[in-house]
Amino acid sequence: MLSISPTISRFSDLSNHHEVNRGRYSRHSPSLLGPPPPLHIRNTKVLRLRHNFRISAIDAAQPFDYESKISDHIAKSKTLKIAIVGFGNFGQFLAKTLVRQGHTVLAHSRTDYSAVAAELGVSFYSNPDDLCEEHPEVILLCTSILSTEKVLLSLPLQRLKRSTLFVDVLSVKEFAKDVFIKILPPDFDILCTHPMFGPESGKHSWKNLPFVYDKVRIGRDESRVSRCEKFLDSFAREGCIMKEMTCAEHDQHAAESQFITHTVGRILEKLDLDSTPINTKGYERLLDLVENTSSDSFELYYGLFMYNKNAMEQLERLDLAFESLKKELFGHLHEVLRKQLFGTTEKSLGLLQVPRALAKLPPNGNGSSRPPQSDSAN
Ligand code: NAP
């Protein structure tokens, strides 16, 4: 191999390695004289030229190649080179912590976020080719659910290292997993994740906040396993509750919890609620819920609905529950009026069966379109 110093080359640190070895065995440093250097180093000739240029030639084959050197580096170093694709609200939120932890963070987005990125200590690349040429170890996809496929298809995957780890943070998991498997070459590792918090709920700390992950495809190679663990550790060391589950399990739970939360928050937002001088604790919590959910984009909420097959069932259950509650209220009112007018109730005449308490809807997944059957009064 020929290398000219000073030089800017992806192999430059490889040449430095040999420079160091040459120094150790120099006849000018007798104290360092030890066993004879390996053949490929003895065969190294260094030509010193004017103007400080130096050409070194190594006759023998390199004992290791670039790829194996990088995988060694991954195994040893504690930090990762992470490229965030989609540097909006959530991408920037994650970047702050990753930078603080010492990771090298790069970013690319449709919008030019160079100024924000510089403030956060992130290198911003408007061009995806330039980003991929940096050979990040991890691509962290933080785009909207709806644009995921388009963005993934626009990345020049051939410029990445063959074993790059792809991670997503989409709030719907089966969809993300399917898109990754469909588009990414089989050599790439896949980790599907969902931090169950955002810029509002995780503003002060990530402690005790759930982090869901599914190791969809991680190569058995030690360096790949350790890279994945290192990434997960970025959340574990912040105190997140790490929950490993399949993407399908996540979507079932998320529709029952997160989608309902966002929907209720958005319904309340439409009421334009104001703070009052006599807010109860419960009302304060509702105002917080409105603030939390309204700070997320509508596109995110729409994605939760469109790309989680369990969301429609939850929307119907919510509708049924509201109708059932209204029926219960009006049923009571009807009975009171009848008593005042006729001195008797429909119930005593056996004409009306008034629900005693709001019947619980059947548990999730048991078919929600059946109306409540209970007939008791409170
Ligand atoms: P979002 O509205 O879901 O996504 C915004 C991001 O998507 C921006 O980076 C935006 O890029 C990019 N984007 C949107 N449309 C695009 C298009 N047509 N082409 C290219 N890029 C496009 O809001 P978010 O809150 O930042 O969420 C990002 C991801 O994180 C989502 O998948 C969401 O499910 C997940 N997540 C969010 C939270 C949260 O609390 N916000 C929590 C957990 C997970 P530009 O800004 O460059 O336009």
Side-chain angles (χ1 to χ4, degrees):
M1 187 187 90
L2 269 179
S3 72
I4 301 178
S5 302
T7 179
I8 302 169
S9 143
R10 59 199 278 219
F11 295 100
S12 58
D13 50 353
L14 198 64
S15 324
N16 288 342
H17 174 87
H18 293 295
E19 293 293 336
V20 170
N21 280 345
R22 271 196 298 279
R24 285 183 62 191
Y25 296 108
S26 152
R27 61 190 166 88
H28 299 298
S29 344
S31 59
L32 290 172
L33 278 179
L39 191 64
H40 70 273
I41 293 190
R42 270 183 275 155
N43 286 344
T44 299
K45 297 162 196 148
V46 179
L47 301 177
R48 291 195 183 277
L49 301 180
R50 279 182 205 168
H51 309 298
N52 287 337
F53 276 107
R54 196 168 48 178
I55 298 177
S56 55
I58 301 167
D59 298 332
Q62 299 302 315
F64 45 76
D65 64 10
Y66 180 70
E67 290 274 340
S68 64
K69 188 168 186 281
I70 285 294
S71 73
D72 248 22
H73 166 77
I74 292 171
K76 281 178 200 135
S77 110
K78 286 192 181 137
T79 57
L80 292 164
K81 191 173 190 180
I82 303 173
I84 298 179
V85 173
F87 204 54
N89 194 21
F90 198 64
Q92 292 173 29
F93 166 68
L94 289 184
K96 283 176 204 153
T97 299
L98 296 175
V99 168
R100 174 170 53 72
Q101 291 179 347
H103 297 290
T104 303
V105 183
L106 328 172
H108 162 69
S109 211
R110 168 179 69 166
T111 307
D112 181 4
Y113 288 111
S114 332
V116 186
E119 264 177 45
L120 296 177
V122 171
S123 321
F124 188 79
Y125 295 81
S126 304
N127 185 320
D129 288 87
D130 293 342
L131 179 92
C132 294
E133 286 288 354
E134 289 296 318
H135 296 153
E137 291 152 30
V138 181
I139 297 271
L140 178 56
L141 202 69
C142 295
T143 52
S144 68
I145 298 167
L146 271 61
S147 65
T148 302
E149 192 160 357
K150 186 190 127 200
V151 172
L152 207 53
L153 285 169
S154 73
L155 292 179
L157 301 178
Q158 74 285 357
R159 294 195 188 277
L160 292 165
K161 278 188 287 161
R162 244 194 347 262
S163 73
T164 307
L165 168 64
F166 270 75
V167 184
D168 84 289
V169 292
L170 267 59
S171 308
V172 289
K173 296 273 49 86
E174 276 203 282
F175 167 72
K177 174 180 157 185
D178 292 346
V179 171
F180 270 2
I181 288 176
K182 187 173 81 178
I183 297 177
L184 297 177
D187 276 328
F188 288 174
D189 285 353
I190 298 175
L191 175 68
C192 286
T193 79
H194 185 199
M196 305 298 298
F197 51 90
E200 274 300 316
S201 49
K203 190 160 40 184
H204 303 299
S205 153
W206 296 0
K207 198 165 166 50
N208 294 330
L209 300 176
F211 179 89
V212 177
Y213 64 97
D214 184 1
K215 294 176 186 172
V216 173
R217 189 172 75 202
I218 304 294
R220 290 205 190 135
D221 190 66
E222 202 190 315
S223 63
R224 288 181 177 219
V225 172
S226 121
R227 177 177 59 186
C228 176
E229 292 307 325
K230 251 179 254 171
F231 181 83
L232 290 173
D233 186 56
S234 306
F235 294 86
R237 76 170 98 149
E238 295 296 316
C240 288
I241 300 168
M242 306 300 284
K243 293 266 183 205
E244 185 166 13
M245 65 175 71
T246 65
C247 291
E249 282 171 322
H250 165 277
D251 283 2
Q252 178 72 44
H253 293 312
E256 289 165 12
S257 56
Q258 188 192 26
F259 180 69
I260 292 279
T261 311
H262 277 249
T263 304
V264 172
R266 284 187 181 269
I267 292 171
L268 294 176
E269 189 191 357
K270 289 195 182 297
L271 295 179
D272 220 359
L273 301 178
D274 277 330
S275 185
T276 75
I278 51 165
N279 287 355
T280 58
K281 288 275 175 216
Y283 188 65
E284 291 281 352
R285 275 190 220 117
L286 285 189
L287 293 178
D288 284 349
L289 174 66
V290 173
E291 197 181 319
N292 259 325
T293 44
S294 62
S295 63
D296 287 328
S297 68
F298 183 79
E299 194 175 338
L300 196 162
Y301 176 61
Y302 183 61
L304 296 181
F305 173 69
M306 269 297 284
Y307 293 94
N308 186 338
K309 64 179 185 207
N310 310 293
M312 179 58 100
E313 183 188 334
Q314 296 307 323
L315 206 58
E316 281 175 5
R317 284 171 57 78
L318 209 56
D319 217 18
L320 276 174
F322 190 49
E323 281 308 314
S324 168
L325 192 62
K326 278 198 295 188
K327 256 190 208 152
E328 189 187 356
L329 285 176
F330 297 151
H332 275 284
L333 185 65
H334 188 92
E335 198 174 10
V336 170
L337 284 177
R338 188 166 181 93
K339 203 171 179 178
Q340 283 177 359
L341 290 173
F342 307 114
T344 180
T345 63
E346 287 183 341
K347 194 184 171 203
S348 66
L349 296 172
L351 296 175
L352 182 72
Q353 296 206 317
V354 182
R356 190 177 299 157
L358 172 63
K360 291 260 179 167
L361 291 170
N364 285 312
N366 282 8
S368 57
S369 38
R370 197 160 47 88
Q373 301 295 308
S374 167
D375 61 352
S376 46
N378 194 354

